[in-house]
Amino acid sequence: LTLPPASRPLSPVQPNTIYGAYHVHTNRSDGSGSPDDVARAAAAASLQFVILTDHGDATRTPDPPFYRHGVLMIDAVEISTTSGHLVALGLTKASPFPLGGEARDTVEDVHRMGGWTVIAHPDSPKPGLSWRGDDAGADGVEWLNADSEWRDEFAGTLLLAIAHYLIRPSEAIAAVFNRPTASFERWDTLARRRPVLALAGVDAHARIGVDEADEPLRATTILARPSYLDMFGTVVQGIELAQPLTQDAAVDAGAILAALRSGRSYSVVRALASPGRISFTASHDATTWAMGESAATDQPVTLQATVPEPDDAVVVLLRSGEEVASGRGSAVFIHTGAPATYRAEARLPNRAVPWMVTNGIRVGPQEPQPAMAPEASTAGITVAALDHAPLWAVEKHEPSRGDLSAAGGAVSLAYTLAPGRPSGQYAAMAYPLSGQDRFDAVTFTVRAEAPMRVSIQWRVPRGADGNRWQRSVYVDTTPRTITLRLEDFEAVGSGLADMPPVEQVRSLSLVVDTWHTRPGSAGRVWISGVSLVTLGVRSARSTGR
């Protein structure tokens, strides 16, 4: 009597409409099965593709796309940042240094490598998994995460779901899905500012076990449940390709990733009904725009979403999260006025979670691109030049090593981080400050032997290590002149002011540490032209950046 209804079978779709699972873990990190096990389960679930997202720092070369058991396997990586977890997709090579640290730095590094990012389980009830801070420029967000939906349920509800799982596993898992209001609001808020795609994450691990503290995350499996097959029956991404898959793994993976990246996809909670198909377009005269596209016109635009079956499906059109039209099987709305982003949902009776969710279509004239940000400029008034090479001093974590040398107007730090597990290894070069100068930025030129990230830090004496504010910057073999405002820096630890108090700062440091450098690594970095400058007051935090 209490069993959730079985998933409703619908008519087969055309070969160019495909379905796949995004956000899946294997035994390469904290999942229980091998990629081959995952592919076998996906084939049994009638999926055409799976995107693997094992935890890591992107220093492992991604596996090239490959077909296994008739399923296309695409490799991605889930990266831990100080704001939460980011999934990086579209990478084709290993990063020369570990990705992580601040989310904005990870997004920047992934973009530099030709990939794109999605915020994973942003509103998970588990604090360690939820997203903290702003969107950091990520390309997408998960509007639903199947591994997060059960975490805020009452014990009685979970016990009943476990009993149901023994009979209808996928339906029982999806029965605890609720409408993710917070995630929808997050997505709609971001989409008002810029195009942001949304995906539904299966987040399959196929295990009940114990997490280990290592990074990348590992785990011990006690019971391989819910199985991959069970999870693949909960939620999938649907894509309508221009043509059917070619069975060339590289070609097909490129088409799938391009469709996901551009927002030409929709999510289906297949535990409610499957396979599921929805059409969502915008049109004006003879011009039509699809999901993920922008209708850059000031003329009236007709938006229409249609679901061919079942007969009792209700289609809803939403503008910036607000419902503007609905109807059984179809909904139509004519846009006029200010630019807005629309999306569509298909809902089934007596179900808390939407059955299908589309990506958005932005309607209205394109807004002009903002001018170059002040932090990208090097213009300013020099307050003090930190150009006396003998004042630079080495700071390090034993038994890491650091050696300084000066030549050609630059000071170099030759570093060797101690090997072993990350345990606070670092090597740094620090320049003393008097606290008498008033400035709002620092400018410098920096290069390194190989691509890497270094941390620029301000320090206020207190305790063993002092209070610190830091900003990571990317460096490589080409000298780069960089200007950083005080407001660009983040406090290290809690309870500190947003920006370092210049009258109390007593040193400026360049630090190589295990945020972005592996223990046991050695190399050299050069810095020159270091100056404290004033650029004018501008509070980025007060404007919401």
Side-chain angles (χ1 to χ4, degrees):
L1 292 177
T2 61
L3 271 176
S7 177
R8 298 162 65 174
L10 304 177
S11 303
V13 296
Q14 298 299 315
N16 62 327
T17 301
I18 64 172
Y19 301 91
Y22 151 79
H23 199 152
V24 178
H25 296 274
T26 74
N27 56 13
R28 297 179 303 180
S29 64
D30 62 339
S32 69
S34 67
D36 186 77
D37 296 330
V38 172
R40 187 180 296 108
S46 301
L47 299 184
Q48 285 75 46
F49 69 92
V50 172
I51 297 179
L52 303 176
T53 58
D54 283 305
H55 294 274
D57 56 15
T59 56
R60 178 182 65 83
T61 301
D63 292 337
F66 61 94
Y67 272 99
R68 187 70 51 83
H69 305 295
V71 178
L72 178 60
M73 308 296 288
I74 302 173
D75 209 7
V77 59
E78 185 172 1
I79 302 170
S80 297
T81 76
T82 55
S83 294
H85 291 185
L86 277 170
V87 176
L89 303 98
L91 300 179
T92 59
K93 59 183 179 181
S95 171
F97 56 90
L99 303 191
E102 292 185 40
R104 58 181 172 181
D105 297 334
T106 303
V107 171
E108 176 188 316
D109 292 333
V110 171
H111 285 172
R112 185 186 302 107
M113 296 171 63
W116 49 285
T117 58
V118 176
I119 298 174
H121 37 69
D123 299 291
S124 172
K126 184 176 180 180
L129 297 178
S130 62
W131 188 258
R132 304 165 294 279
D134 61 24
D135 64 296
D139 305 286
V141 62
E142 291 180 2
W143 73 268
L144 179 75
N145 182 279
D147 187 54
S148 294
E149 284 298 302
W150 63 271
R151 295 179 182 273
D152 58 353
E153 299 293 335
F154 293 112
T157 302
L158 293 178
L159 288 173
L160 189 61
I162 291 171
H164 293 161
Y165 175 83
L166 301 175
I167 303 171
R168 290 180 183 157
S170 299
E171 291 88 341
I173 296 169
V176 301
F177 290 2
N178 294 301
R179 183 176 182 83
T181 303
S183 295
F184 275 137
E185 290 178 351
R186 179 188 298 272
W187 178 23
D188 292 328
T189 298
L190 294 178
R192 293 188 187 104
R193 303 199 301 260
R194 58 184 177 83
V196 176
L197 64 98
L199 302 175
V202 181
D203 208 355
H205 298 77
R207 70 163 184 90
I208 297 173
V210 179
D211 290 340
E212 299 173 7
D214 291 344
E215 284 287 349
L217 185 63
R218 303 283 179 179
T220 299
T221 298
I222 299 174
L223 180 65
R225 290 290 184 274
S227 70
Y228 291 113
L229 179 60
D230 298 338
M231 293 300 292
F232 292 160
T234 60
V235 62
V236 294
Q237 282 298 126
I239 301 173
E240 292 192 13
L241 299 173
Q243 60 183 12
L245 295 173
T246 66
Q247 301 307 304
D248 181 312
V251 171
D252 293 344
I256 289 170
L257 289 175
L260 294 175
R261 171 66 184 89
S262 63
R264 300 194 310 273
S265 73
Y266 56 93
S267 307
V268 183
V269 181
R270 67 188 326 219
L272 305 185
S274 183
R277 184 166 179 260
I278 185 170
S279 170
F280 177 42
T281 60
S283 61
H284 172 71
D285 291 339
T287 305
T288 300
W289 297 270
M291 280 182 289
E293 296 183 334
S294 295
T297 176
D298 57 2
Q299 299 299 309
V301 171
T302 300
L303 295 112
Q304 181 169 7
T306 303
V307 173
E309 58 176 333
D311 293 339
D312 57 351
V314 174
V315 180
V316 180
L317 291 178
L318 300 100
R319 176 177 60 194
S320 300
E322 299 292 330
E323 296 185 14
V324 294
S326 65
R328 180 163 291 187
S330 181
V332 179
F333 181 78
I334 298 178
H335 166 88
T336 57
T341 298
Y342 294 82
R343 57 181 176 84
E345 295 180 10
R347 302 171 183 172
L348 295 179
N350 305 315
R351 297 306 184 111
V353 69
W355 171 40
M356 290 190 286
V357 174
T358 73
N359 268 286
I361 300 176
R362 182 168 179 80
V363 181
Q366 296 293 317
E367 297 179 0
Q369 294 296 316
M372 180 181 294
E375 54 265 39
S377 171
T378 59
I381 300 173
T382 299
V383 174
L386 311 186
D387 55 1
H388 190 48
L391 290 182
W392 286 100
V394 169
E395 297 178 351
K396 59 187 177 68
H397 167 275
E398 296 292 348
S400 299
R401 293 186 55 188
D403 297 293
L404 295 180
S405 61
V411 179
S412 69
L413 170 69
Y415 64 88
T416 302
L417 298 188
R421 296 165 61 94
S423 57
Q425 297 97 318
Y426 76 92
M429 52 189 297
Y431 198 97
L433 301 178
S434 66
Q436 297 178 357
D437 298 311
R438 294 297 176 264
F439 57 93
D440 56 30
V442 59
T443 185
F444 54 92
T445 299
V446 63
R447 67 181 177 93
E449 283 184 336
M452 63 184 300
R453 274 193 175 272
V454 298
S455 177
I456 306 300
Q457 297 185 3
W458 305 103
R459 186 168 63 184
V460 172
R462 180 167 295 176
D465 295 324
N467 292 338
R468 290 175 294 137
W469 288 256
Q470 69 177 5
R471 180 72 173 98
S472 168
V473 295
Y474 170 80
V475 298
D476 55 26
T477 57
T478 302
R480 298 175 61 223
T481 298
I482 298 172
T483 299
L484 299 176
R485 291 178 175 269
L486 287 177
E487 58 198 21
D488 290 331
F489 289 76
E490 297 288 341
V492 180
S494 58
L496 300 179
D498 286 342
M499 293 190 297
V502 294
E503 69 281 358
Q504 299 178 31
V505 172
R506 290 299 178 267
S507 67
L508 172 69
S509 302
L510 182 152
V511 183
V512 178
D513 57 26
T514 54
W515 272 116
H516 299 289
T517 307
R518 289 194 178 282
S521 299
R524 187 182 293 271
V525 59
W526 291 262
I527 191 168
S528 62
V530 185
S531 296
L532 307 179
V533 300
T534 57
L535 300 176
V537 177
R538 172 182 176 269
S539 177
R541 289 184 174 85
S542 68
T543 59
R545 184 176 64 84

